[in-house]
Amino acid sequence: MLIFYGHPFSSYTWKALIALYEKDIPFDYRSVDPEFPAHMPELKAHWPVGQFPLIVHDGVPVFESSIIIEYLDHLIPEPRMIPEGFEAALRVRFFDRIFDLHVMNKMQAVVADALRGPEAHVPAIRTECEAALENVYGWLDKELAGGGWATPYGFTLADCAAAPSLFYADWLYRIPEHYENLCGYRARLLAYPSVKRCVDDARPYRAYFPLGAPDRD
């Protein structure tokens, strides 16, 4: 059976889990929460950096969330997370990068700053992040004007990336109500069964959010 290492509150863990749930692939979930101290050393035996998610299939480790999802498409082709056609696949990968680099990673920089504690806090990081998120929110609102999912190709890798990105980024810098398309897209994502499952499974860990999890979602 495929082994999966991750944490229920981790945004990139969600990204890979959503694809696993979409494909209904059975797996052994080994949470790296401190409650399970044996699992992180196992993960580091495969990838000394210690980042997750990581899967092990037939003894071979695969890590980095986008690569994991592409590997899952190879194992179980349907439903496809990355379309077969060049232009469609390029569009999906493009949005995957937008959500990871310009939404998720911006949010994580502020979380990392908060975790460093008040003595090492750099206020400019949050200011710069909020300005960057405002810019990308506006761009996404225009791109998502057609409703539906991130691309015209159904629920894909792009949406796997978007769900945790927008979930947590909105906690940090709430999406302004006038970005109706983006707000609607986030709401559709959170109502989607595989995403809702991740949201619900992460509820016990909300105290981990160093900036204070809002009383919503």
Side-chain angles (χ1 to χ4, degrees):
M1 181 180 289
L2 184 150
I3 301 170
F4 180 90
Y5 293 92
H7 192 283
F9 201 61
S10 154
S11 54
Y12 282 109
T13 293
W14 284 23
K15 180 179 170 182
L17 278 176
I18 291 165
L20 281 164
Y21 294 152
E22 284 297 290
K23 292 175 177 290
D24 198 24
I25 298 174
F27 61 96
D28 177 4
Y29 191 162
R30 299 188 184 176
S31 171
V32 297
D33 188 78
E35 182 182 358
F36 307 99
H39 292 165
M40 180 55 81
E42 289 178 17
L43 184 156
K44 286 187 173 180
H46 296 291
W47 179 220
V49 170
Q51 288 182 323
F52 47 88
L54 180 148
I55 64 171
V56 180
H57 182 242
D58 289 341
V60 178
V62 180
F63 41 93
E64 298 297 335
S65 57
S66 297
I67 303 301
I68 289 172
I69 292 172
E70 188 149 5
Y71 186 81
L72 297 179
D73 258 4
H74 170 72
L75 286 182
I76 306 291
E78 298 297 334
R80 294 199 66 85
M81 297 291 101
I82 303 172
E84 292 186 282
F86 172 75
E87 290 186 1
L90 192 66
R91 184 72 172 169
V92 166
R93 288 191 174 99
F94 169 68
F95 270 88
D96 171 60
R97 296 294 78 219
I98 293 295
F99 285 115
D100 275 8
L101 299 177
H102 297 278
V103 182
M104 188 120 66
N105 286 5
K106 298 296 183 184
M107 176 276 300
Q108 288 189 334
V110 180
V111 170
D113 179 65
L115 289 171
R116 282 195 294 268
E119 293 183 359
H121 180 53
V122 182
I125 290 177
R126 179 156 191 164
T127 302
E128 292 168 1
C129 171
E130 291 184 355
L133 287 175
E134 176 65 32
N135 280 336
V136 78
Y137 285 170
W139 183 85
L140 285 167
D141 191 66
K142 293 175 183 176
E143 291 292 317
L144 297 167
W149 300 123
T151 71
Y153 310 107
F155 192 93
T156 66
L157 166 68
D159 305 290
C160 294
S165 298
L166 294 174
F167 180 82
Y168 286 114
D170 184 72
W171 280 13
L172 173 69
Y173 179 63
R174 192 157 192 175
I175 301 169
E177 291 182 1
H178 60 267
Y179 292 142
E180 295 180 1
N181 298 321
L182 184 56
C183 289
Y185 175 57
R186 183 179 184 272
R188 287 192 296 279
L189 285 169
L190 297 193
Y192 196 66
S194 57
V195 178
K196 187 177 184 300
R197 183 174 177 181
C198 289
V199 173
D200 289 340
D201 287 348
R203 290 186 188 280
Y205 302 96
R206 289 194 173 192
Y208 285 9
F209 194 68
L211 301 167
D215 187 19
R216 54 186 170 87
D217 297 325

